[in-house]
Amino acid sequence: MSVEFDVAVIGLGAMGSSAAAFAASRGAKVIGLEAYFPAHPLSSSHGDSRLIRLGYFEDPSYVPLLQRAYENWRALEAQLRTDILTVTGVLQIGAPDSKIVSGTRASCEMHGLAHQILDKQEMARRFPAFALDDGEIGLLDPQGGYVRPEAAIMGYLKLAAEHGAALHFGEPVLSIDQGGNGVTIVSGTATYRARKVIVATGAWIAELVPQLRSRAVPIRQVVAWYQPSDGFVAGPQRMPCFLRDDGEGGSYFGFPNIGIDGVKVGRHAHFREPIDPRAPNPPVNEADTALLDSFVRKRLPHAASMRARATTCRYTMLPSEDFLIDHVPGAPDVVVSSACSGHGFKFTSVIGELLADLALEGGSTLPHGLFSFARHFPNG
Ligand SMILES: Cc1cc2nc3c(=O)[nH]c(=O)nc-3n(C[C@H](O)[C@H](O)[C@H](O)COP(=O)(O)OP(=O)(O)OC[C@H]3O[C@@H](n4cnc5c(N)ncnc54)[C@H](O)[C@@H]3O)c2cc1C
């Protein structure tokens, strides 16, 4: 059978849509295969907003990639003539030695990034939405803000199609087989051959990449939107996007009111509850809403009092909570993207570029050592 495509991209969510656009824009013959439709409710990439920030408490070595991600988001906006990334600042709140505050500060200092440290009085004056404990401080990352996931995915799919990519929706891939030169891809309706395959199937990644079974674990995430009861206007000026380290209570994230539903809030990794990616997401229950209601009552008393709606989403967690983006050991024509652990979206605009580099060039000048199989699983 002859090779029909240079690159097949499996999964057209965040990372797959971006990879398809980058590969097709370089002249590669691309096919994209998606089981459902763009930004569908079982994916990890729906719900209006995703945080983006430049100082990175998780690991300062993400910062050069973030700088590239910002450039690429702005380039995407220019190509589409639409807004994808909005800067509101991201306020990172907690005790000075908390992981979020101290890690972000170290990352900013290491890379010379602008940031402001605010004490409790200054935070209360500038950002009255937040209720603070004595001794807490805020670190404002002035370049932080949010990205619109649905608009970003639709934008990358539009660019991919304009550069000639064939995009098939409602076509799940059942198997991939690297044999000889290239890869055979069997979907529910057809068989394709491609020189290289990018597997970007999010919560379903272990179905096509068996090396990730019981290592890439899909978990349930819940977010809720709240309205004020006293007319408080929770716009970005008084309430920027935030991360809050609540010590043993976990860490929370949130967004100002950027639409009609109100302030959006979630706890990172929620209850760390594993799910079967093939089953519908378990519906929002009382324990979910009790957790988030209690957080907003205590921490956002003016901005968020009445719950307007709540929904579920999926994180795919790797043990280190870093991303895995690499050629698959033993299948060098297959490139895998497991870029979630609850913090991947902001990187979509650079991970697509990285995936296209790995598939088309065999390597990349973008820093990606943190994401290798060998680093994640040194014992194979
Ligand atoms: C509630 C929530 C809040 C988050 N907040 C942030 C944030 O503030 N900032 C941030 O940076 N990140 C955040 N994240 C993480 C970020 O959204 C994810 O890292 C990112 O969306 C993952 O994208 P993906 O392309 O890997 O997966 P997805 O977008 O889920 O795409 C995978 C696609 O593959 C398809 N697929 C699966 N199997 C097959 C198959 N066999 N054949 C064909 N197609 C298949 C699926 O249908 C799906 O469309 C959050 C995630 C959630 C859930």
Side-chain angles (χ1 to χ4, degrees):
M1 191 187 292
S2 63
V3 172
E4 295 173 46
F5 294 94
D6 297 316
V7 182
V9 181
I10 305 176
L12 295 173
M15 310 308 156
S17 63
S18 173
F22 275 97
S25 70
R26 294 182 197 174
K29 192 174 176 194
V30 174
I31 183 168
L33 298 164
E34 164 57 50
Y36 297 96
F37 52 89
H40 60 85
L42 293 179
S43 77
S44 300
S45 305
H46 64 95
D48 304 342
S49 50
R50 292 290 186 270
L51 286 183
I52 182 165
R53 53 204 154 86
L54 203 45
Y56 220 60
F57 74 85
E58 290 87 340
D59 192 318
S61 58
Y62 281 93
V63 171
L65 277 179
L66 281 162
Q67 289 167 324
R68 180 69 176 169
Y70 270 81
E71 283 173 26
N72 287 354
W73 285 124
R74 293 309 186 198
L76 179 67
E77 291 180 316
Q79 283 169 290
L80 298 170
R81 295 198 180 88
T82 190
D83 292 336
I84 306 269
L85 191 170
T86 303
V87 170
T88 65
V90 172
L91 191 58
Q92 332 226 9
I93 303 169
D97 61 352
S98 62
K99 188 174 175 204
I100 288 178
V101 173
S102 68
T104 306
R105 190 172 191 165
S107 168
C108 289
E109 286 171 357
M110 182 179 294
H111 289 280
L113 305 176
H115 62 288
Q116 296 164 29
I117 304 290
L118 310 179
D119 63 17
K120 186 179 170 187
Q121 287 69 30
E122 181 69 359
M123 273 206 289
R125 190 183 66 74
R126 287 182 58 184
F127 304 122
F130 302 104
L132 304 168
D133 288 342
D134 286 339
E136 284 188 323
I137 61 167
L139 185 156
L140 182 68
D141 176 345
Q143 301 206 60
Y146 65 91
V147 182
R148 294 191 297 133
E150 291 87 352
I153 291 173
M154 294 311 294
Y156 276 128
L157 292 174
K158 178 170 185 283
L159 292 186
E162 283 174 3
H163 285 103
L167 303 177
H168 296 195
F169 295 93
E171 187 172 340
V173 169
L174 306 179
S175 68
I176 53 175
D177 180 29
Q178 157 126 41
N181 197 11
V183 185
T184 303
I185 301 130
V186 178
S187 80
T189 48
T191 298
Y192 307 93
R193 288 278 296 165
R195 288 182 210 283
K196 304 286 176 186
V197 169
I198 296 170
V199 184
T201 51
W204 297 260
I205 199 85
E207 293 185 357
L208 296 177
V209 184
Q211 288 89 336
L212 292 183
R213 280 191 199 135
S214 73
R215 290 170 160 178
V217 179
I219 64 170
R220 182 168 165 276
Q221 177 64 29
V222 176
V223 290
W225 285 257
Y226 292 85
Q227 293 282 353
S229 58
D230 59 2
F232 186 93
V233 179
Q237 297 297 327
R238 305 171 88 195
M239 184 189 160
C241 296
F242 73 90
L243 283 180
R244 173 181 259 282
D245 196 319
D246 249 19
E248 295 195 351
S251 63
Y252 288 79
F253 56 87
F255 301 80
N257 187 358
I258 58 169
I260 55 168
D261 287 322
V263 166
K264 178 177 149 187
V265 171
R267 177 164 77 164
H268 177 66
H270 199 57
F271 295 131
R272 291 189 183 261
E273 195 184 321
I275 52 164
D276 173 1
R278 292 193 165 219
N281 288 345
V284 176
N285 60 42
E286 278 181 25
D288 300 325
T289 50
L291 176 85
L292 298 177
D293 290 357
S294 129
F295 173 78
V296 300
R297 262 197 310 275
K298 189 169 168 201
R299 301 301 193 186
L300 296 166
H302 304 295
S305 355
M306 293 180 289
R307 183 166 16 88
R309 73 179 177 102
T311 191
T312 57
C313 197
R314 295 170 171 194
Y315 278 8
T316 304
M317 305 300 281
L318 287 167
S320 67
E321 303 199 7
D322 291 315
F323 310 145
L324 175 65
I325 302 170
D326 200 358
H327 293 95
V328 174
D333 293 333
V334 180
V335 176
V336 64
S337 162
S338 184
C340 185
S341 294
H343 64 115
F345 199 89
K346 64 184 77 61
F347 296 89
T348 299
S349 59
V350 67
I351 288 176
E353 182 181 10
L354 173 59
L355 290 168
D357 284 349
L358 294 179
L360 296 173
E361 319 294 341
S364 178
T365 55
L366 293 166
H368 61 288
L370 196 61
F371 308 148
S372 71
F373 261 99
R375 179 180 169 271
H376 279 274
F377 309 116
N379 301 321

